[in-house]
């Protein structure tokens, strides 16, 4: 299939969204920008179209999708009911990088929710995503637009690398501003539960919800056979081709460790994933992922940096540890998955 790339710059070019909107209505796939990462969209009410998402990504059939809406009125037909806590979350954080899970209605095809009786819904803040949903006239199911297992795409070039020839359209609106996926919170049963950290920090959710349970999969690797509340959290994710290890400690301890490593093993294929000002002090080539004091910049840069490491042929990567506060928790969660949870704590 020929994939057409459509470039959007400003609302004067929104008419270019009519062709992908028509394709979506006809059951085809289109990649769309959102404020978090690029999504691979299909008509959420069309099971055959949704099936194509799983095929294009190579996504495991048991991993449910997020349904994207462009107006609060579209929520009602997707879920059994919208409880007061969900309404409060929507008022505080929508449109924005938050996904809310509720009991699903009978209208949502089974493959959207991978057989679960719940559905994840998000109202994205990106104007191009909203405009595409509006013109398509239906809610859009959309996972991140990467091949399963690869880092999520934060620029259209990343989507082209993974999806060219497999989908009808890629809508290019430049780099995503948040850079990590939405926060996923379940209100489907009992106490609200954070299933995936993302663009909205847990501290922000707590101000609206009061109590919030944090799913263990946020911090740790699930053990063999352990059930995942959010099926996506059990897969190896965001992984570059290189073997990644996160080093916890100061910048000086990091430099010393990497120096000792190349003294013993050679520097071939060894890279550092570090903070902005550090690349020139390293004994190996470095790719930076934002400023040490600025978790937002790390979120924005992380996936692009992981892909750059692949492009530069990295085989062995040592990464600096991010802080876990605010959106930093999402950065930590994604980097730990990219490293298959391999961390070395450095002595001072
Ligand atoms: O920011 C985002 O959320 C992006 C953009 C495109 O909106 N989308 C995204 O989708 O990250 P995806 O499919 O890569 O991640 C969706 C996550 C997965 O971990 C999935 O298991 C979980 O949400 N999920 C979806 N529906 C669920 C449900 N009914 N119950 C539990 N987890 C669910
Ligand atoms: Mg994904």
């Amino acid at each position: 299939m020929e994939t057409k790339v459509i470039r959007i710059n400003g609302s004067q070019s929104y008419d270019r969204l009519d062709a992908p909107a028509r394709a979506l209505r006809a059951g085809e796939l289109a990649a769309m920008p959102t404020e978090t990462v690029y999504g691979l969209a299909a008509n959420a009410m069309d099971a055959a179209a949704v099936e194509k998402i799983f095929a294009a990504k190579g996504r495991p059939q048991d991993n449910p999708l997020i349904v994207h809406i462009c107006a609060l009125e579209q929520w009602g037909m997707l879920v059994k009911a919208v409880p007061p806590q969900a309404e409060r979350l929507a008022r505080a954080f929508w449109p924005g990088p938050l996904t809310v899970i509720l009991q699903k209605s009978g209208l949502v095809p089974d493959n959207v929710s991978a057989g679960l009786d719940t559905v994840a819904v998000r109202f994205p803040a990106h104007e191009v995503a909203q405009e595409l949903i509006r013109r398509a006239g239906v809610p859009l199911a959309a996972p991140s637009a990467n091949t399963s297992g690869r880092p999520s795409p934060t620029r259209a070039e990343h989507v082209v690398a993974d999806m060219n020839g497999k989908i009808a359209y890629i809508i290019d609106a430049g780099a995503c501003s948040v850079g990590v996926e939405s926060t996923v919170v379940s209100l489907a049963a009992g106490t609200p539960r954070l299933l995936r950290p993302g663009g909205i920090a847990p501290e922000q959710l707590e101000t609206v919800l009061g109590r919030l349970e944090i799913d263990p999969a946020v911090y740790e690797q699930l053990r063999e056979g352990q059930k995942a509340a959010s099926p996506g959290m059990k897969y190896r994710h965001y992984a570059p081709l290189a073997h990644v290890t996160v080093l916890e400690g100061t910048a000086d301890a990091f430099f010393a460790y990497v120096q000792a490593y190349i003294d013993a093993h050679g520097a071939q294929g060894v890279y550092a994933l570090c903070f902005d000002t550090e690349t020139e002090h390293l004994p190996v080539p470095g790719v930076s992922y934002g400023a040490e004091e600025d978790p937002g910049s790390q979120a924005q840069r992380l996936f692009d940096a992981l892909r750059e490491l692949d492009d530069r042929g990295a085989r062995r990567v040592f990464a600096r540890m991010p802080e876990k506060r605010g959106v930093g928790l999402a950065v930590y969660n994604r980097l730990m998955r990219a490293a298959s949870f391999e961390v070395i704590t450095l002595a001072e």
Side-chain angles (χ1 to χ4, degrees):
M1 168 184 307
E2 194 210 334
T3 301
K4 291 197 189 69
V5 178
I6 302 222
R7 202 171 294 277
I8 301 291
N9 31 34
S11 53
Q12 70 284 353
S13 51
Y14 283 178
D15 282 347
R16 294 184 201 154
L17 295 172
D18 281 333
R22 228 176 298 118
L24 285 164
R25 264 202 308 279
E28 295 301 322
L29 304 184
M32 66 173 175
T34 84
E35 72 278 24
T36 57
V37 301
Y38 276 77
L40 181 56
N43 177 355
M45 314 314 281
D46 176 350
V50 167
E51 197 48 47
K52 293 180 185 172
I53 291 179
F54 288 90
K57 279 182 62 88
R59 184 177 178 99
Q61 296 288 339
D62 67 349
N63 195 3
L65 308 176
I66 296 171
V67 179
H68 296 69
I69 59 176
C70 65
L72 283 177
E73 299 75 70
Q74 289 180 313
W75 205 3
M77 71 165 175
L78 301 170
V79 297
K80 277 218 174 102
V82 177
Q85 276 186 322
E87 256 170 45
R88 280 203 296 277
L89 281 180
R91 214 172 306 127
F93 304 114
W94 277 359
L98 177 71
T99 295
V100 179
I101 296 177
L102 292 170
Q103 295 293 323
K104 81 183 185 93
S105 77
L107 294 176
V108 179
D110 278 342
N111 58 356
V112 169
S113 52
L116 299 174
D117 52 13
T118 55
V119 65
V121 178
R122 176 161 109 80
F123 182 169
H126 201 297
E127 273 190 30
V128 174
Q130 292 179 9
E131 191 63 27
L132 182 70
I133 301 166
R134 207 169 293 129
R135 287 178 192 234
V138 287
L140 298 178
S144 49
N146 52 290
T147 299
S148 257
R150 295 214 68 206
S152 295
T154 54
R155 293 191 289 119
E157 294 85 334
H158 302 159
V159 184
V160 172
D162 284 13
M163 292 296 152
N164 195 28
K166 295 183 176 171
I167 64 177
Y169 288 97
I170 295 172
I171 299 161
D172 178 356
C176 301
S177 57
V178 177
V180 290
E181 301 89 338
S182 61
T183 300
V184 178
V185 62
S186 176
L187 299 179
T191 308
R193 200 171 177 82
L194 178 75
L195 301 186
R196 179 177 75 177
I200 302 286
E203 299 88 330
Q204 290 174 278
L205 294 178
E206 273 164 357
T207 62
V208 174
L209 293 172
R211 253 183 88 207
L212 178 71
E213 284 173 358
I214 313 267
D215 198 78
V218 169
Y219 291 105
E220 304 156 24
Q221 188 158 33
L222 291 172
R223 287 180 301 277
E224 199 72 41
Q226 205 175 358
K227 194 173 178 301
S230 178
M233 298 295 261
K234 75 182 178 207
Y235 296 106
R236 180 158 190 253
H237 242 90
Y238 317 112
L241 300 169
H243 172 182
V244 181
T245 305
V246 183
L247 303 182
E248 180 155 36
T250 62
D252 286 341
F254 181 89
F255 301 149
Y257 185 94
V258 174
Q259 183 65 58
Y261 180 89
I262 62 172
D263 288 345
H265 304 278
Q268 176 90 40
V270 182
Y271 280 75
L273 179 59
C274 59
F275 299 124
D276 281 348
T277 54
E278 296 171 355
T279 42
E280 59 264 41
H281 308 294
L282 288 160
V284 295
V287 173
S288 73
Y289 76 104
E292 181 164 16
E293 300 304 322
D294 180 2
S297 72
Q298 295 164 18
Q300 215 267 333
R301 280 281 304 139
L302 180 68
F303 288 139
D304 190 47
L306 290 173
R307 282 181 182 256
E308 185 179 336
L309 287 164
D310 273 354
D311 294 344
R312 290 171 65 176
R315 308 304 312 162
R316 188 76 182 89
V317 172
F318 295 103
R320 292 271 275 128
M321 177 68 103
E323 260 188 72
K324 302 179 192 85
R325 75 191 151 87
V327 72
L329 181 62
V331 176
Y332 167 81
N333 171 279
R334 307 306 190 273
L335 182 57
M336 290 302 277
R337 282 180 167 68
S340 298
F341 290 86
E342 197 178 294
V343 181
I344 295 173
T345 304
L346 304 174
E348 283 303 293

